[in-house]
Amino acid sequence: MLSTQPTLLANDKNQTARFDTIVVLSHECPFVSGQPSAESYLEREMQVLAEHADRVIVFAHEGWFDGWPIKAGLPENVSAFGISDCATIPSESFAGRLKRLGCLAKHLGAVWSERRRITSRETLFAATSFLQLGDMKAQRMLEVIAEQKIVFSGRVLLYSYWFNEPILAMQSLARCIEKQSGMRPVCISRAHGYDCYDYRSPCGYNAFKRWMAEKLDAVLVCSQNGANYLKERDPEVSGAYRVGRLGTADTQPQDPSRKGDAFSIVCCSRAVSLKRVDRVIDALLVLEERGHRLRFTFIGDGDQLGVLKEKAALLKKTEVDIKGALPNEKVFDYYSSTFTDLFVNASEYEGIPLSIMEALSFGIPVVATNVGGVSEIIHDGVCGKLIDRDFTDEDLADAIEAFVAMDEKKVEAMRAAARRNWEQSYRLKTNAEEMLRLAYALSSASDSKRRDAQGIV
């Protein structure tokens, strides 16, 4: 077993977890595509990473990147490279099939570990596409390292924000660093929703989860629900999975004296089918029939935005403000300046949404569907209300109406509980530094004892 030193390093909140280099594998961060980002947590976490490393190198691997600006205010010790080559995304052409078959031959060990799950043409395509994309990303990443003459030494953390193809590329980079420096880097990934649950995949299969868990020092899953799912899926590697919560930047609770005359409801999400914002509008129509005066604000963009606007036009007594996509800073500005009575999330699937964390940080109670890890952040009857995934319009209307009719003392208690829940579990800086302490403790363990280190926090 490990000595006590790594345990103390992982648990001591005063311990400085310092790295010579942190390498981050992202989708787009810190590049700005002009579209809503799924990596707003990582954008803010970058500030914390930069405080704990001599340099941070980011390889963003999804998007075109040409002409995309880098997010303003990035720390001086952070550099970023876009490595994606969208023109070579795997296809069903004859040439594409040959390439994928070549990947199968190259990664026979990984394929063998998945033999019981690759049971159809669809799952075979998912597996071979995973391998091809991972190899492409690895090749481009190593090319950039050679072109930029990047040399690694000392303590290195490889950190993927997503639990999918970048992990294959990470393994190639880890071998390169170990050969270059003589030291094995510590390898950690986060896992969220679509990259965690098989049922979120179009074919019901997320490729190579067990293989990736075997190769990584730790997988930090954003919810206990997700961690339990992955452990039950592959009990042989259950020790790799642990809860690593995300979080949001610090704020100040909203001022109740700024409350308006109409009961105000906010949704903040992508305007896509699984978020079911249109169902929220259906519930508002029911509440209008019951005589309620409301204000509804939607923040977000997506392929259903036009549909939402058309449906919202049916509301006659409700003041509607569809803002479209806003940068994360503007979302915070909105909450800081505009009192909100209730946040609503009607998603069909979730991990734990950052949008709910943001609402709680401002002391806003939440009505949400009981899916994924949502019940871990919304304590029913304490800081919000949970409804069934398969709710009716009347069910959602009833849940909202309960807050409309709630007495002032209960509202104050709910809002205080919302803020307290955020302070205890979803403060970004606290959770980011916890991840870094874990990584530091793992990097302090010898290679032969890395797997023993799965239980040190």
Side-chain angles (χ1 to χ4, degrees), residues 93-323:
S93 67
F94 179 72
R97 291 177 184 179
L98 284 179
K99 287 182 179 179
R100 294 200 309 276
L101 287 174
C103 287
L104 287 174
K106 180 180 177 181
H107 298 285
L108 283 177
V111 174
W112 179 254
S113 72
E114 291 287 280
R115 65 193 182 279
R116 291 186 176 86
R117 287 198 165 94
I118 302 174
T119 58
S120 66
R121 181 174 178 175
E122 291 76 16
T123 54
L124 179 62
F125 181 79
T128 53
S129 297
F130 174 99
L131 296 173
Q132 187 176 352
L133 284 167
D135 280 349
M136 286 162 42
K137 298 175 194 303
Q139 179 182 345
R140 283 293 299 126
M141 193 160 54
L142 295 176
E143 287 173 355
V144 170
I145 288 170
E147 292 165 2
Q148 299 293 322
K149 297 181 172 57
I150 299 172
V151 178
F152 294 93
S153 62
R155 196 184 298 266
V156 178
L157 165 62
L158 304 186
Y159 168 41
S160 177
Y161 192 64
W162 303 97
F163 189 43
N164 46 24
E165 296 92 352
I167 307 306
L168 186 61
M170 180 189 283
Q171 298 310 305
S172 295
L173 179 56
R175 289 190 293 271
C176 171
I177 292 173
E178 189 166 13
K179 182 178 180 181
Q180 196 180 87
S181 69
M183 293 182 63
R184 177 189 169 189
V186 63
C187 299
I188 285 180
S189 176
R190 291 196 184 274
H192 307 268
Y194 90 95
D195 58 340
C196 174
Y197 302 100
D198 284 305
Y199 57 76
R200 296 283 298 271
S201 168
C203 67
Y205 163 66
N206 268 327
F208 298 104
K209 295 303 177 192
R210 174 181 172 179
W211 177 85
M212 288 189 288
E214 288 175 341
K215 298 297 181 183
L216 292 164
D217 293 299
V219 182
L220 305 181
V221 193
C222 73
S223 70
Q224 187 66 61
N225 180 276
N228 291 344
Y229 175 88
L230 289 167
K231 289 178 180 181
E232 291 170 8
R233 181 190 192 273
D234 294 303
E236 302 89 347
V237 292
S238 61
Y241 299 115
R242 65 183 71 233
V243 177
R245 300 201 186 279
L246 302 181
T248 56
D250 204 355
T251 61
Q252 293 297 318
Q254 292 183 336
D255 182 358
S257 68
R258 305 183 72 172
K259 179 178 173 63
D261 294 334
F263 187 88
S264 58
I265 298 164
V266 169
C267 293
C268 181
S269 73
R270 290 175 296 139
V272 294
S273 58
L274 72 87
K275 296 297 182 179
R276 301 194 293 191
V277 182
D278 61 315
R279 297 291 309 280
V280 178
I281 297 175
D282 291 337
L284 297 182
L285 288 166
V286 173
L287 289 167
E288 279 198 345
E289 292 176 358
R290 298 177 182 177
H292 293 291
R293 181 170 174 241
L294 308 166
R295 176 163 55 85
F296 173 65
T297 302
F298 174 69
I299 303 170
D301 201 355
D303 57 20
Q304 289 204 339
L305 190 60
V307 174
L308 296 183
K309 289 179 178 179
E310 290 178 7
K311 184 167 279 192
L314 300 174
L315 293 165
K316 303 303 181 185
K317 301 177 183 177
T318 301
E319 178 186 340
V320 176
D321 184 4
I322 296 183
K323 293 186 174 295

